[in-house]
Amino acid sequence: SARIAKVVATPCMPVDSESGFHIVASRHAEKPVAGVAPDMSVCDECLDELNDPSNRRFGYPFINCTNCGPRFTLIESLPYDRSRTTMRGFKLCETCRQEYETPADRRFHAEPNACHACGPKIWIVDSNEQYAEFHAVEINVTESLDSEAERIRTRGALESARARVAQGQIVAIKGVGGFHLACDATNLRAVQKLRHRKRRPDKPLAVMVADLATCEQFANVCAEEAKLLTSPQRPIVLVEKKLRCKWIDSVAPGNPFVGVMLAYSPLHYLLIPAGQIWVMTSGNLSDEPIAIDNRDAWLRLASIADGFLFHNRPICVECDDSVLRLTDTGVFPIRRSRGFAPQAVALHNEPDTRQAPPTVLAVGGELKATICLAIESQAFLSQHIGDMSNEESQRTMERVSNHLLDLYQTKAEVIAADLHPGYLSVGWAEQLASNLSLPLIKTQHHHAHAASLMAEHSLAENSRIIACVFDGTGFGTDGNIWGGEWLLASTEEFRRFGHLRSVPLPGGDACILWPARSALAHLYSASIEWSPALPCVQTLSAANNKLLRKQLENRVHCVDTTSMGRLFDAVSALAGVRQQINYEGQAAIELESLAALAFQSSSSSVVAYPFHWEQAGSWELHLGEMLRQLIADYQAGTDPGVMGARFHETLTQATLEICVAARTETGIETVGLTGGVFQNVLLTRLIRTALESSGFSVLTHRHVPPNDAGLALGQAVIARAQWNAKCLR
């Protein structure tokens, strides 16, 4: 699990060999220099012991060694000693202590070391039990048993959990970084019950299997994807469906991909038999952080789960599963969490003559929230927190922030946040800055996206790129909502070079849930008639259409936006793909899937729809003629995938044109592709290929997600750059 960051050679004088070699007790340092290791999957040696009936840890759900197991979710502070982890309450038995203290042993100073006799334990309860009964079971379980009795009791709990899943029940399982909700993925009724209870009607659910052979039964897995799936990080990997059957389409409806992860903890290996496929989704209600505490999980998840498989190893902080996808250029991160957090992003080292940068705590945005702590030349990006739309997420943000500060025994000197006045994360940052009497630097949303990409590639603060920033919502410096932006950006500042033509959205965020509304708004803005034959017109009632038109005509409760996300929604609705969504990005995801198939099946090049740029201060992309031809295609019965493909090609050619114009004006030849819309792998590939063919160097995300999960990193480096620039003036 080690990563070599740099190699330094230092000449030394020999020491007296008689003094010997010693490992001494940790001393409290002002600022720890060692990074905190992420949680890693169980290693092969531990798996062999787990399955060996003659081994004393046979069937033990928490087996680990110095090469594997939980780290980040156990560590409360550095240095990394057992007394500073959530394992401090478990006293090592004599055999485990001998391993722990023997330098030649694989478990020498393995801080989570434990066994049946002295370590954490599991138990199972019904969700309909009263809390007093639930708590009594927990107390009873923690009483010590001899190893054989404990092994038998553990096996019984595992068998009960497996039986419940086989019967179609939903089981909440406490894992490494929080709870999962599990059921049999091939049981349609169980999956639909989980969707109904979790309020997740269409959004894809991840599945877990015991081995690659099971995964290959229902998915096309290439060698590189297999390498990702079996890596020590064990992320969820989006792989292409092989089967077209009811169970897999119920798990990932309207999507050619399914999210798969292999068992990564010994508990998972003991639970899931080879050949079985379990849904393993986050233990939360939609948009909330995952539950980590037994009582909290029992209270929050009792309405979803039929039973709970608990353990009594405390989890210090929640850490949800990471999500990756493989593209033609390598690994593409969608959610960076377990297995990766809180690995540092190395920041560009400025000359020593400059003032040392301040320690910055950046709080990210409103969706897919993360925290970033920038210390000297490293930026520590937190695990996924969730959407900041509820009190639970705000409490989690505070806990994650304090955890990072405690780990690295530092204090923030500057707070960084988004520019949006309505974000709850911004309000939290304002309160924090006020309480600590610290400066608060607010950064423009899309500039932060660009800076995140620049930081990931270790670009210097004075480097400039043409940043194509495509997303759903970001507060602009003019007070409007941006989202389809072409910026000239350095870490310190940016200029808006081009953008989509602004469109008024009636009801603002209501259009996110109703792509049909976005479609009608785009038609109105382009002076295109609302034909009764269009699916977006038919979706809404006549009364609603009339009200919507009045809103647009009188600009009542309308928000002007250049959002690329809402443009994708509009095109999806006009092509007849999706008029209403149940999860973020659904309309765009389904449009991309159909467009990708159209590109694959097309025997000739896909022709872009017409568009044109107009200059009024910055450049504006006008797509009215594209919308007219799109409607004509729909009325002519053109396949929705073909319309989607032509739309993707239109954005590709428009981006190429504006980047060439920017290069002509500025001489900048590096282009960055960032923002949530660039989770669209098809669009990313088309634009990258077109730009590279025209001589541009193109930056894309490889370590930090392009969506709002990367905002905190961008905010941190912008705040540092602006602080340094201010100090030098």
Side-chain angles (χ1 to χ4, degrees):
S1 299
R3 295 188 310 156
I4 299 173
K6 60 182 177 181
V7 178
V8 179
T10 306
C12 297
M13 293 298 291
V15 297
D16 179 8
S17 61
E18 292 182 2
S19 64
F21 177 77
H22 303 277
I23 291 181
V24 298
S26 298
R27 289 177 296 180
H28 186 79
E30 281 189 15
K31 284 190 178 180
V33 292
V36 177
D39 299 323
M40 291 292 153
S41 62
V42 61
C43 69
D44 289 341
E45 288 175 291
C46 282
L47 275 180
D48 288 342
E49 294 176 348
L50 183 74
N51 296 314
D52 179 3
S54 66
N55 190 279
R56 72 186 190 92
R57 289 190 177 88
F58 173 58
Y60 182 55
F62 304 98
I63 190 171
N64 69 88
C65 68
T66 52
N67 299 321
C68 69
R71 297 290 188 272
F72 176 56
T73 52
L74 296 184
I75 300 172
E76 295 174 333
S77 64
L78 291 176
Y80 178 40
D81 295 322
R82 190 178 179 102
S83 61
R84 298 174 186 271
T85 73
T86 61
M87 286 293 294
R88 65 179 178 275
F90 298 94
K91 185 178 179 181
L92 291 165
C93 67
E94 190 55 39
T95 310
C96 284
R97 177 160 293 283
Q98 215 167 27
E99 294 171 337
Y100 183 83
E101 294 176 349
T102 304
D105 197 281
R106 198 173 90 251
R107 293 187 170 90
F108 179 53
H109 277 267
E111 306 304 345
N113 192 30
C115 70
H116 284 292
C118 66
K121 306 180 189 333
I122 66 170
W123 68 97
I124 193 162
V125 297
D126 284 319
S127 60
N128 58 5
E129 290 189 23
Q130 297 298 313
Y131 181 70
E133 297 169 334
F134 153 77
H135 190 53
V137 172
E138 182 174 25
I139 293 172
N140 183 53
V141 164
T142 57
E143 294 178 1
S144 61
L145 297 170
D146 66 77
S147 292
E148 184 56 33
E150 181 58 33
R151 185 181 290 117
I152 292 170
R153 196 193 58 74
T154 297
R155 186 168 62 241
L158 292 167
E159 289 173 352
S160 176
R162 283 195 295 268
R164 287 168 181 268
V165 170
Q167 293 163 10
Q169 292 188 24
I170 298 164
V171 179
I173 301 168
K174 187 178 183 182
V176 173
F179 279 79
H180 283 112
L181 292 165
C183 71
D184 180 358
T186 64
N187 185 325
L188 296 180
R189 295 184 68 178
V191 173
Q192 288 308 311
K193 180 168 66 173
L194 174 59
R195 286 192 174 282
H196 174 71
R197 291 180 181 179
K198 196 178 175 182
R199 305 172 202 161
R200 191 169 175 169
D202 292 319
K203 190 174 182 179
L205 300 165
V207 299
M208 180 179 279
V209 294
D211 49 38
L212 270 179
T214 304
C215 181
E216 289 167 347
Q217 293 175 14
F218 59 86
N220 294 312
V221 182
C222 71
E224 286 302 309
E225 288 168 336
K227 188 176 178 181
L228 283 178
L229 283 164
T230 56
S231 68
Q233 292 81 12
R234 288 290 201 280
I236 296 171
V237 180
L238 301 185
V239 293
E240 186 182 38
K241 294 176 182 175
K242 178 186 290 183
L243 300 176
R244 285 292 181 268
C245 61
K246 288 184 178 180
W247 81 258
I248 200 165
D249 287 333
S250 72
V251 166
N255 197 316
F257 296 91
V258 60
V260 184
M261 59 180 156
L262 299 191
Y264 57 83
S265 78
L267 177 61
H268 294 137
Y269 274 99
L270 293 169
L271 269 176
I272 305 178
Q276 290 193 15
I277 306 153
W278 286 21
V279 166
M280 196 69 75
T281 190
S282 304
N284 60 0
L285 287 172
S286 293
D287 301 329
E288 286 186 358
I290 57 172
I292 60 172
D293 174 75
N294 289 347
R295 185 177 187 276
D296 178 52
W298 187 81
L299 293 172
R300 287 168 57 195
L301 304 180
S303 62
I304 304 176
D306 299 303
F308 288 82
L309 185 64
F310 288 118
H311 65 69
N312 62 340
R313 183 175 69 191
I315 299 172
C316 182
V317 287
E318 43 274 275
C319 197
D320 214 336
D321 300 309
S322 294
V323 183
L324 303 177
R325 183 174 174 181
L326 193 69
T327 69
D328 59 331
T329 58
V331 177
F332 183 73
I334 296 172
R335 185 166 73 197
R336 183 184 184 273
S337 202
R338 180 186 50 77
F340 298 94
Q343 283 179 349
V345 175
L347 301 179
H348 181 81
N349 288 318
E350 297 297 334
D352 294 336
T353 54
R354 299 196 62 175
Q355 180 168 329
T359 297
V360 178
L361 180 70
V363 304
E366 199 77 347
L367 304 178
K368 302 176 181 64
T370 58
I371 295 288
C372 183
L373 180 63
I375 309 173
E376 297 176 356
S377 62
Q378 298 187 96
F380 299 96
L381 199 59
S382 81
Q383 68 275 35
H384 171 79
I385 295 173
D387 294 351
M388 299 301 296
S389 56
N390 53 74
E391 290 183 10
E392 190 62 39
S393 295
Q394 293 176 62
R395 285 193 292 270
T396 301
M397 173 173 276
E398 184 170 6
R399 184 165 59 248
V400 169
S401 299
N402 290 335
H403 185 231
L404 280 179
L405 291 167
D406 289 344
L407 281 180
Y408 294 100
Q409 296 166 25
T410 190
K411 294 182 178 180
E413 296 170 310
V414 175
I415 308 297
D418 197 89
L419 200 61
H420 199 299
Y423 278 3
L424 295 177
S425 61
V426 175
W428 184 81
E430 289 172 339
Q431 188 64 52
L432 180 64
S434 174
N435 291 344
L436 300 177
S437 299
L438 294 177
L440 173 65
I441 296 178
K442 294 184 178 181
T443 64
Q444 200 281 322
H445 189 93
H446 303 96
H447 184 204
H449 273 303
S452 172
L453 181 61
M454 295 174 73
E456 180 181 330
H457 287 270
S458 295
L459 299 188
E461 287 183 1
N462 59 357
S463 298
R464 298 176 73 208
I465 67 170
I466 303 164
C468 307
V469 191
F470 299 171
D471 71 357
T473 299
F475 194 75
T477 54
D478 59 0
N480 292 322
I481 300 300
W482 295 1
E485 311 301 317
W486 289 266
L487 310 178
L488 303 178
S490 69
T491 303
E492 181 187 346
E493 58 189 4
F494 75 96
R495 173 161 72 92
R496 195 184 193 195
F497 189 77
H499 56 85
L500 290 176
R501 181 170 178 263
S502 184
V503 171
L505 287 186
D509 287 350
C511 290
I512 297 174
L513 299 177
W514 288 90
R517 293 172 67 101
S518 288
L520 294 175
H522 277 79
L523 295 184
Y524 175 84
S525 184
S527 301
I528 298 174
E529 179 187 356
W530 293 4
S531 168
L534 295 176
C536 55
V537 176
Q538 295 173 356
T539 296
L540 304 176
S541 67
N544 279 337
N545 281 328
K546 185 177 180 180
L547 179 61
L548 203 65
R549 183 176 290 278
K550 282 189 175 181
Q551 275 187 268
L552 290 165
E553 289 172 348
N554 299 318
R555 292 299 181 105
V556 176
H557 299 303
C558 288
V559 178
D560 287 337
T561 184
T562 60
S563 169
M564 186 66 76
R566 301 296 75 76
L567 175 62
F568 265 85
D569 288 349
V571 171
S572 182
L574 289 169
V577 176
R578 172 66 60 174
Q579 308 301 321
Q580 183 183 8
I581 67 166
N582 294 306
Y583 65 89
E584 184 193 8
Q586 183 178 9
I589 289 169
E590 293 179 1
L591 182 69
E592 177 197 358
S593 299
L594 294 172
L597 290 173
F599 271 105
Q600 291 171 11
S601 61
S602 177
S603 57
S604 57
S605 60
V606 173
V607 179
Y609 287 118
F611 63 88
H612 71 276
W613 288 94
E614 289 186 7
Q615 191 169 22
S618 55
W619 289 92
E620 285 188 350
L621 177 58
H622 289 243
L623 296 172
E625 191 55 37
M626 180 199 79
L627 296 174
R628 287 185 176 84
Q629 290 209 17
L630 187 72
I631 290 170
D633 276 353
Y634 176 80
Q635 292 173 335
T638 303
D639 182 81
V642 172
M643 289 185 275
R646 293 190 67 186
F647 169 61
H648 280 72
E649 185 64 25
T650 305
L651 289 181
T652 300
Q653 295 306 316
T655 296
L656 178 60
E657 279 194 18
I658 196 67
C659 289
V660 168
R663 179 172 61 184
T664 301
E665 180 180 318
T666 66
I668 301 173
E669 295 192 331
T670 301
V671 179
L673 309 182
T674 187
V677 170
F678 280 110
Q679 291 175 133
N680 182 321
V681 172
L682 172 62
L683 183 69
T684 303
R685 176 172 57 81
L686 290 172
I687 292 180
R688 177 183 53 78
T689 302
L691 289 169
E692 288 178 344
S693 298
S694 297
F696 288 98
S697 173
V698 182
L699 306 179
T700 57
H701 287 273
R702 289 292 172 266
H703 303 292
V704 178
N707 56 47
D708 283 7
L711 278 179
L713 173 61
Q715 292 169 354
V717 296
I718 291 171
R720 282 161 48 114
Q722 292 182 353
W723 182 266
N724 282 336
K726 182 180 178 182
C727 291
L728 290 172
R729 290 191 188 109

